């Protein structure tokens, strides 16, 4: 099998492509032949040793991959060989041609969903469906401001919020990202690098946004908070901007606003069965045409470092997949 290996924390250039004998699944495990591995912003942080989850070295990155079950270990009755699946495991290992996973970490893949889409949509869509149905709710006609709207989480947020009946304002840095967000269902777009975010949101909505979805943080977080109307909610999703924002809490108190943390990863550990249902729900909605993740840009496994660097440099609109 071919796999990417991280032997020291650092820039993605330190990753190595290694060839080792194919693994065999143990009891309760499955061996998946990987056709597409999802690349996410988090993977880059993990490889650099900058994420809250610090795996022991060496390790193979990759939290979500899709492929075909080759063999199953003892005690795995339900997963026949050749079954199409998507696997997600915080133990990682997805950047490889073959991946051993606990049987409960794979979900059957509907025929209508490609390996590339499954491998790249699960993390961002599960996070956003969890955020907008379990951490808060979004009502028909509410105004939702999405930061980083052309990224993986951002485009999923635009799609999920639009599907739930919201009017979405997409904030992003490049014309390509704003165009992608408008195509995904946003009603309006803001260049948050050059425009006054709060003023533009007020102009578009009248009284302010009902909900902010923030995977970016600084330097836009405070303006986004101030763009909320009274009783508005602010969903904290991530900090791609770098530093963790320090928000003036008087702006929360004065207008009866609510700040809500969203940690899909932590919840998926606390409720693995609920997470399997959530992932199956995402895939079912994609197969039925109710959610619309775009096909990702693809890179061969040899170009993993290039893929991770492009994401870190804000050059990617949408998602990336590695094809092992
Ligand atoms: N809370 C959860 O449960 C959860 C789950 C999954 C992911 N996340 C987090 O959500 C965040 C976004 O993930 P993602 O997959 O959407 O990442 P992504 O595809 O790389 O998109 C992130 C967006 O952030 C913006 N950005 C602003 N400053 C940036 C900078 N200095 N470097 C890189 N990007 C910058 C970019 O948009 P512009 O160029 O338009 O500014 C970029 O498109 C990450 O922090 C990730 O860890 C959280």
């Amino acid at each position: 099998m071919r796999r990417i290996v991280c032997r020291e924390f650092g820039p993605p250039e330190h990753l190595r492509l290694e060839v080792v004998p194919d693994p065999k699944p143990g009891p309760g495990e499955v061996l998946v032949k990987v056709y597409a591995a999802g690349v996410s912003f988090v993977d880059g942080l993990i490889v650099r040793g900058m994420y809250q989850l610090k795996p022991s070295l060496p390790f193979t990155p990759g939290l979500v991959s899709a492929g075909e079950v080759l063999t199953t270990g003892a005690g795995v009755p339900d997963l026949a060989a050749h079954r199409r699946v998507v696997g997600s495991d915080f133990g990682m290992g997805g950047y490889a041609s073959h991946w051993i996973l606990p049987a409960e970490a794979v979900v059957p893949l509907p025929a209508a969903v490609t390996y590339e889409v499954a491998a790249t949509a699960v993390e961002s869509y599960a996070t956003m469906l969890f955020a907008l149905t379990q951490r808060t709710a979004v009502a028909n006609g509410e105004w939702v401001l999405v930061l980083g709207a052309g990224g993986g989480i951002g485009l999923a947020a635009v799609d999920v919020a639009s599907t739930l009946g919201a009017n979405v304002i997409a904030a992003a840095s490049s014309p390509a990202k704003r165009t992608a967000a408008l195509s995904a269902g946003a009603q309006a777009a803001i260049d948050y690098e050059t425009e006054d975010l709060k003023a533009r949101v007020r102009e578009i909505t009248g009284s302010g946004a009902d909900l902010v979805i923030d995977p970016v943080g600084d330097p836009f977080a405070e303006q986004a908070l101030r763009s909320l109307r009274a009783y508005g909610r602010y969903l904290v999703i991530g900090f791609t901007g770098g530093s963790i924002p320090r928000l003036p809490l008087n702006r929360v108190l004065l207008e009866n606003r609510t700040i809500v943390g969203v940690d899909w990863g932590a919840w998926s550990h606390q409720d693995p069965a609920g997470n399997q249902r959530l992932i199956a729900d995402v895939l079912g909605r994609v197969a039925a045409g109710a959610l619309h993740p775009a096909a990702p840009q693809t890179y061969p496994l040899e170009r993993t470092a290039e893929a991770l660097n492009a994401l870190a440099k804000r050059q990617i609109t949408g998602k990336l997949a590695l094809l092992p």
Side-chain angles (χ1 to χ4, degrees), residues 7-240:
R7 295 193 172 275
E8 55 180 320
F9 293 115
E13 288 76 5
H14 291 180
L15 295 171
R16 293 283 163 264
L17 176 59
E18 296 183 354
V19 179
V20 294
D22 289 357
K24 288 195 172 45
E29 294 178 334
V30 297
L31 171 62
V32 173
K33 182 171 185 185
V34 173
Y35 291 117
V39 178
S40 76
F41 190 87
V42 174
D43 300 341
L45 295 179
I46 293 173
V47 162
R48 288 181 173 85
M50 292 166 63
Y51 193 60
Q52 59 251 36
L53 178 84
K54 221 169 183 183
S56 24
L57 297 165
F59 69 94
T60 292
L63 298 162
V64 183
S65 289
E68 190 184 46
V69 173
L70 283 187
T71 49
T72 60
V76 185
D78 300 337
L79 283 162
H82 306 305
R83 185 145 195 194
R84 301 170 83 245
V85 293
V86 61
S88 68
D89 188 7
F90 280 87
M92 290 179 283
Y95 286 14
S97 62
H98 295 68
W99 193 12
I100 297 272
L101 289 143
E104 58 274 13
V106 300
V107 173
L109 192 56
V113 185
T114 66
Y115 293 122
E116 287 86 348
V117 164
T120 49
V122 160
E123 181 209 33
S124 49
Y125 274 79
T127 300
M128 286 325 305
L129 208 54
F130 171 65
L132 294 178
T133 59
Q134 300 195 44
R135 298 298 294 127
T136 190
V138 61
N140 223 16
E142 281 195 313
W143 281 102
V144 175
L145 169 64
V146 178
L147 306 188
I153 287 281
L155 283 173
V158 172
D159 191 12
V160 173
S162 303
T163 301
L164 294 173
N167 298 315
V168 176
I169 304 171
S173 67
S174 72
K177 289 179 179 178
R178 293 192 294 277
T179 302
L182 290 167
S183 306
Q187 317 277 310
I190 299 174
D191 178 354
Y192 57 9
E193 291 286 7
T194 61
E195 296 185 87
D196 181 325
L197 188 59
K198 178 185 160 195
R200 286 283 289 122
V201 171
R202 294 279 167 158
E203 194 178 290
I204 294 164
T205 59
S207 54
D210 297 282
L211 182 67
V212 167
I213 299 176
D214 181 10
V216 179
D218 276 340
F220 310 114
E222 186 170 340
Q223 280 303 303
L225 175 65
R226 287 171 182 269
S227 78
L228 280 174
R229 66 162 176 75
Y231 297 94
R233 294 96 74 205
Y234 189 110
L235 293 189
V236 182
I237 309 284
F239 311 109
T240 55

Side-chain angles (χ1 to χ4, degrees), residues 161-320:
S162 303
T163 301
L164 294 173
N167 298 315
V168 176
I169 304 171
S173 67
S174 72
K177 289 179 179 178
R178 293 192 294 277
T179 302
L182 290 167
S183 306
Q187 317 277 310
I190 299 174
D191 178 354
Y192 57 9
E193 291 286 7
T194 61
E195 296 185 87
D196 181 325
L197 188 59
K198 178 185 160 195
R200 286 283 289 122
V201 171
R202 294 279 167 158
E203 194 178 290
I204 294 164
T205 59
S207 54
D210 297 282
L211 182 67
V212 167
I213 299 176
D214 181 10
V216 179
D218 276 340
F220 310 114
E222 186 170 340
Q223 280 303 303
L225 175 65
R226 287 171 182 269
S227 78
L228 280 174
R229 66 162 176 75
Y231 297 94
R233 294 96 74 205
Y234 189 110
L235 293 189
V236 182
I237 309 284
F239 311 109
T240 55
S243 54
I244 295 174
R246 293 176 175 275
L247 294 172
L249 289 181
N250 62 321
R251 292 287 143 204
V252 180
L253 177 153
L254 287 173
E255 303 266 14
N256 291 294
R257 292 164 173 152
T258 306
I259 297 183
V260 181
V262 176
D263 190 343
W264 167 64
W267 171 78
S268 72
H269 277 124
Q270 289 150 10
D271 186 359
N275 188 46
Q276 296 306 88
R277 285 195 298 276
L278 177 71
I279 292 173
D281 185 16
V282 166
L283 296 171
R285 291 182 196 229
V286 174
L291 290 173
H292 322 86
Q297 293 178 54
T298 58
Y299 284 69
L301 209 52
E302 290 77 359
R303 290 171 58 198
T304 298
E306 207 182 310
L308 287 169
N309 283 330
L311 209 57
K313 289 181 190 157
R314 300 165 80 176
Q315 292 166 347
I316 301 300
T317 297
K319 292 289 299 183
L320 291 181

